[in-house]
Amino acid sequence: MKALTWQGKRDVRVEEVPDPRIEAPTDAIVKITSTAICGSDLHLYEVLGPYLKPGDVLGHEPMGIVEEVGSEVTGLKPGDRVVVPFNIACGRCWMCSRQLYAQCETTQVTSEGKGASLFGYTSLYGSVPGGQAEYLRVPQAHFGPIKIPESGADERYLYLSDILPTAWQAVTYADTPPGGTLAVFGLGPVGQFCARIGRHLGAGRVIGLDLVPERLELARRHGIEVLDVRELSDVAGALIDLVDGRGPDAVIDAVGMEAHGSPVGKLAHAAVGLLPDKVAQTMTDRAGIDRLSVLHAAVKGVRRGGTVSVSGVYGGEADPMPLMEMFDRGVQLRMGQCHVRRWTDEILPLLSGDDDPLGVEDLRTHRLPLSRAPQAYEMFQKKEDGCIKVVLEP
């Protein structure tokens, strides 16, 4: 089959790889009909190369049609249409029984000290072949895949794989009081959904912050108040001034370690990319190479006693946080990999009607064949041609 493979920094290629096959009785094989490029895939394209090897298959936002199931998969049959969550969970272990599916103890990568295995996401998370391919082997298929209606465009349901439940969790963690104010840093795909979900779940005011004109315009189209951070010298101060001199009740960081505006962080990312893999792994894991400008602005901009919810991906363990200010201002901080299946039963009914309350059909800017995935990655990474979200068609 054809699949998108990682070959080096900013070097991804569509190649012929072996077809997947059933390897365990809880496996399924899914023929992929749509698969998206996620913002966190750009970390593989740019930063996390030390944890990849040439030939690794990328992608963790897939959906398609079940082709084959293992003997212990009773809830699926060939022909079923499914979305595949990006994290791989058994649904049975101690963590899963508490709906902490991103920490599944059956698929945890204990050798790396990490949580549940992920599709297409480095040796840190199990080196499981990803879904930017014609076919995908789905472990733990007795629990993971989400059955969806046979009718309706793929893009009605595709985002259940990652970014829609990720945004739903971020908004839930933010815990904005009814009628309160929510600010969302970063209006990429997850941030767009955070803003829309925030309104849907009862925030009286939602403010989105970004510096990309197309992203700001897309948020405006959905009734979101926007701030262009290029026009602000003090982002946190502007938020406080804008919301009663106190700041918003809750702030979501939907940016993570790809934040603009931190030249030191950018230099560190570039430097790590030049090091031998073993040295780079140590620096990435221990030294902390993140750009924390957005997270610090979120902490400083939220009102006293407010909540900061982090959905953007961070890496590294030595990142300085303004703990004195967080303590003094009573800021609550919630974060974590999304527990996809915890939220999908709540979200799915919103996707099945005609009204599209979350605007899932107004996010994708580019739909391209899988063969053009390398060009799509470059375009997405450089934010060219108004690119906000890319969907690939194998």
Side-chain angles (χ1 to χ4, degrees):
M1 69 170 184
K2 294 187 182 301
L4 184 74
T5 64
W6 183 90
Q7 299 296 332
K9 184 176 180 179
R10 300 184 199 143
D11 182 3
V12 295
R13 306 174 198 170
V14 176
E15 296 189 328
E16 288 285 343
V17 303
D19 289 348
R21 56 183 179 81
I22 298 290
E23 298 178 12
T26 54
D27 284 354
I29 303 298
V30 174
K31 178 180 174 61
I32 301 303
T33 56
S34 291
T35 182
I37 302 176
C38 182
S40 56
D41 286 328
L42 297 182
H43 305 326
L44 311 182
Y45 192 65
E46 189 73 32
V47 181
L48 295 178
Y51 297 99
L52 291 159
K53 63 183 184 298
D56 281 353
V57 178
L58 305 183
H60 60 268
E61 295 188 359
M63 66 175 289
I65 306 298
V66 175
E67 290 267 309
E68 184 182 359
V69 297
S71 59
E72 294 182 15
V73 180
T74 57
L76 294 178
K77 64 183 185 304
D80 283 345
R81 190 184 186 203
V82 296
V83 175
V84 181
F86 74 96
N87 42 28
I88 303 169
C90 72
R92 299 167 175 166
C93 68
W94 191 91
M95 287 290 181
C96 286
S97 71
R98 288 153 178 81
Q99 295 188 302
L100 299 173
Y101 302 122
Q103 308 300 336
C104 173
E105 292 179 328
T106 300
T107 73
Q108 271 182 18
V109 187
T110 54
S111 61
E112 298 288 348
K114 295 295 185 282
S117 296
L118 310 178
F119 287 103
Y121 218 80
T122 80
S123 59
L124 291 174
Y125 290 96
S127 294
V128 182
Q132 289 168 0
E134 293 181 313
Y135 293 89
L136 177 68
R137 181 180 73 89
V138 180
Q140 308 299 324
H142 62 281
F143 175 73
I146 305 156
K147 289 178 66 172
I148 59 172
E150 294 181 5
S151 61
D154 275 11
E155 286 164 44
R156 270 278 168 149
Y157 303 100
L158 174 62
Y159 307 130
L160 282 172
S161 59
D162 179 353
I163 60 173
L164 199 50
T166 291
W168 194 278
Q169 176 173 295
V171 173
T172 302
Y173 281 6
D175 197 25
T176 310
T181 300
L182 170 67
V184 179
F185 278 82
L187 292 171
V190 170
Q192 296 285 342
F193 279 146
C194 285
R196 300 175 196 180
I197 291 167
R199 283 173 56 88
H200 178 77
L201 293 181
R205 186 180 183 188
V206 179
I207 303 167
L209 301 93
D210 208 291
L211 47 66
V212 180
E214 293 85 358
R215 293 178 173 186
L216 293 166
E217 180 55 36
L218 179 57
R220 282 194 196 98
R221 194 157 74 225
H222 287 266
I224 308 304
E225 185 178 348
V226 299
L227 288 177
D228 187 338
V229 298
R230 295 172 300 178
E231 300 173 356
L232 304 174
S233 58
D234 178 3
V235 176
L239 269 181
I240 290 171
D241 291 343
L242 195 60
V243 189
D244 305 321
R246 297 189 185 94
D249 300 289
V251 176
I252 293 173
D253 173 1
V255 179
M257 63 183 175
E258 287 293 313
H260 292 266
S262 175
V264 174
K266 185 174 182 179
L267 180 62
H269 280 191
V272 167
L274 298 174
L275 295 171
D277 281 357
K278 288 297 183 184
V279 178
Q281 288 175 4
T282 301
M283 282 194 65
T284 300
D285 190 39
R286 300 293 179 188
I289 60 169
D290 297 336
R291 312 179 194 185
L292 295 181
S293 56
V294 166
L295 185 53
H296 282 212
V299 166
K300 294 174 186 292
V302 73
R303 69 158 168 81
R304 289 178 177 271
T307 301
V308 173
S309 173
V310 181
S311 65
V313 176
Y314 284 94
E317 297 181 8
D319 304 310
M321 287 294 294
L323 290 176
M324 182 176 70
E325 183 159 7
M326 293 170 68
F327 183 86
D328 175 69
R329 301 181 71 238
V331 173
Q332 301 180 71
L333 186 63
R334 296 197 71 183
M335 67 183 75
Q337 200 79 265
C338 180
H339 308 294
V340 174
R341 287 301 306 272
R342 181 173 181 173
W343 314 108
T344 51
D345 287 349
E346 293 181 59
I347 301 170
L348 189 56
L350 301 175
L351 308 180
S352 303
D354 296 328
D355 52 347
D356 191 16
L358 303 182
V360 293
E361 292 187 348
D362 187 28
L363 182 73
R364 185 263 301 161
T365 51
H366 296 75
R367 187 175 184 93
L368 299 169
L370 179 65
S371 60
R372 293 189 60 194
Q375 295 91 332
Y377 265 76
E378 182 177 9
M379 175 178 60
F380 189 27
Q381 199 263 345
K382 293 181 178 178
K383 300 177 176 65
E384 295 175 337
D385 194 33
C387 183
I388 295 175
K389 185 67 175 177
V390 180
V391 175
L392 301 171
E393 186 174 342

